[in-house]
């Protein structure tokens, strides 16, 4: 009996902690808002990252949890006692994050015009796109390596390697993507349908994968229109 009581005394704090964590997670899944302070802590990682990142950009992103969930008309807003701001979402659910001491001090809320539990939210790093659609092959390789280094710094992508990048476009965009060698020869890259980023549940975008091993190291990628996003392919 004494051993049983000792076991209960020793295990109770661990059980209580586990229960508290589980309840917190359940509450977060059910709430209809996102704590600005939590979002700030995620976003500040990239800002403080001191290694090369000139080819990378960081957004706050909203993305569906379930396949088939619609993002049409989805709106994100920042609210506090003194701040009421609408944050523009692009076609992939990304917004420029407003770093605000006032919002942090006020414990502001990021709200959606939908049930927030239906979406994932957080920092989202991607490769910078160019308006002219021209990318040096060496720059894309460097961008992928910068992405890999940052993700590993953030505790992800362990054991992964850069194998290429992926360009994504709206389904209605008939963009063509070609690889041009230093000598001027061009090869069209294959276009298929899929998600803009490898881990997304939403598909329906026109995507083009540029795999480094399939092409010479020197050359350039030319896109006839600006892509929605460029994702690193890590395998």
């Amino acid at each position: 009996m004494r051993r049983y009581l000792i076991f209960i005394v020793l295990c109770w704090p661990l059980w209580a902690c586990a229960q508290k964590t589980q309840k917190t997670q359940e509450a977060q899944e059910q709430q209809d808002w996102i704590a600005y302070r939590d979002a700030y802590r995620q976003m500040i990682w990239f800002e403080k990252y001191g290694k090369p990142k000139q080819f990378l950009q960081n957004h706050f992103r909203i993305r569906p949890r379930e396949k088939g969930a619609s993002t049409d008309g989805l709106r994100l807003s920042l609210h506090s006692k003194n701040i009421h701001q609408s944050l523009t979402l692009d076609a992939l659910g990304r917004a420029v994050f407003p770093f605000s001491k006032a919002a942090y001090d006020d414990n502001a809320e990021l709200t959606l015009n939908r049930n927030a539990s239906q979406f994932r939210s957080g920092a989202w790093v991607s490769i910078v796109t160019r308006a002219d659609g021209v990318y040096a092959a060496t720059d894309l390789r460097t961008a992928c390596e910068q992405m890999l280094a940052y993700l590993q710094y953030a505790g992800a992508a362990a054991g992964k390697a850069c194998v290429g990048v992926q360009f994504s476009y709206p389904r209605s965009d008939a963009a063509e993507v070609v690889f041009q060698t230093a000598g001027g020869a061009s090869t069209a890259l294959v276009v298929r349908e899929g998600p803009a980023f490898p881990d997304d549940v939403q598909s329906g975008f026109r995507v083009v994968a540029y795999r480094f091993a399939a092409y010479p190291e020197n050359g350039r990628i030319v896109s006839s229109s600006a892509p929605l996003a460029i994702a690193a392919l890590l395998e």
Side-chain angles (χ1 to χ4, degrees):
M1 181 67 176
R2 182 183 177 188
R3 290 181 180 177
Y4 180 72
L5 290 174
I6 292 174
F7 175 81
I8 292 177
V9 170
L10 291 174
C11 291
W12 177 262
L14 298 176
W15 181 87
C17 181
Q19 291 296 307
K20 182 178 180 181
T21 300
Q22 181 179 353
K23 289 180 179 179
T24 300
Q25 291 173 344
E26 290 175 353
Q28 289 174 343
E29 291 177 357
Q30 295 172 2
Q31 67 191 17
D32 59 359
W33 54 274
I34 304 159
Y36 176 85
R37 288 179 179 175
D38 291 342
Y40 180 95
R41 293 186 187 105
Q42 294 180 47
M43 297 298 294
I44 203 65
W45 273 76
F46 184 81
E47 302 303 312
K48 292 183 175 181
Y49 181 64
K51 294 183 178 180
K53 57 181 179 181
Q54 74 272 24
F55 292 117
L56 305 181
Q57 59 186 353
N58 190 31
H59 291 93
F60 185 74
R61 189 177 183 217
I62 306 294
R63 55 189 179 125
R65 290 181 179 272
E66 302 294 335
K67 187 176 182 179
S70 175
T71 57
D72 292 342
L74 185 65
R75 294 192 300 274
L76 175 66
S77 302
L78 174 65
H79 296 286
S80 70
K81 291 184 296 184
N82 302 309
I83 299 174
H84 300 282
Q85 180 181 353
S86 178
L87 305 179
T88 302
L89 295 173
D90 69 8
L92 300 177
R94 299 175 300 180
V96 175
F97 187 79
F99 287 95
S100 168
K101 183 178 185 301
Y104 191 94
D105 292 342
D106 289 347
N107 197 19
E109 298 176 357
L110 291 160
T111 62
L112 295 172
N113 60 334
R114 310 271 178 84
N115 187 335
S117 65
Q118 298 175 354
F119 300 89
R120 300 182 187 277
S121 63
W124 195 267
V125 179
S126 59
I127 295 171
V128 175
T129 61
R130 291 176 56 93
D132 62 6
V134 179
Y135 303 84
T138 53
D139 286 348
L140 290 174
R141 290 172 182 266
T142 300
C144 189
E145 292 295 342
Q146 287 184 1
M147 173 71 79
L148 178 60
Y150 175 74
L151 291 176
Q152 291 176 340
Y153 157 81
K160 299 285 187 177
C162 285
V163 299
V165 297
Q166 176 180 279
F167 297 78
S168 60
Y169 303 85
R171 181 179 289 177
S172 59
D173 190 337
E176 295 182 352
V177 181
V178 300
F179 178 86
Q180 293 182 346
T181 66
S186 297
T187 303
L189 276 65
V190 176
V191 180
R192 61 181 178 83
E193 185 174 306
F197 295 98
D199 294 332
D200 283 1
V201 297
Q202 271 192 323
S203 57
F205 296 94
R206 297 180 77 246
V207 298
V208 178
Y210 163 48
R211 291 185 169 269
F212 301 144
Y215 300 90
E217 186 171 344
N218 294 317
R220 65 180 187 172
I221 290 289
V222 180
S223 172
S224 61
S225 63
L228 292 173
I230 304 176
L233 297 177
L234 307 176
E235 296 176 357

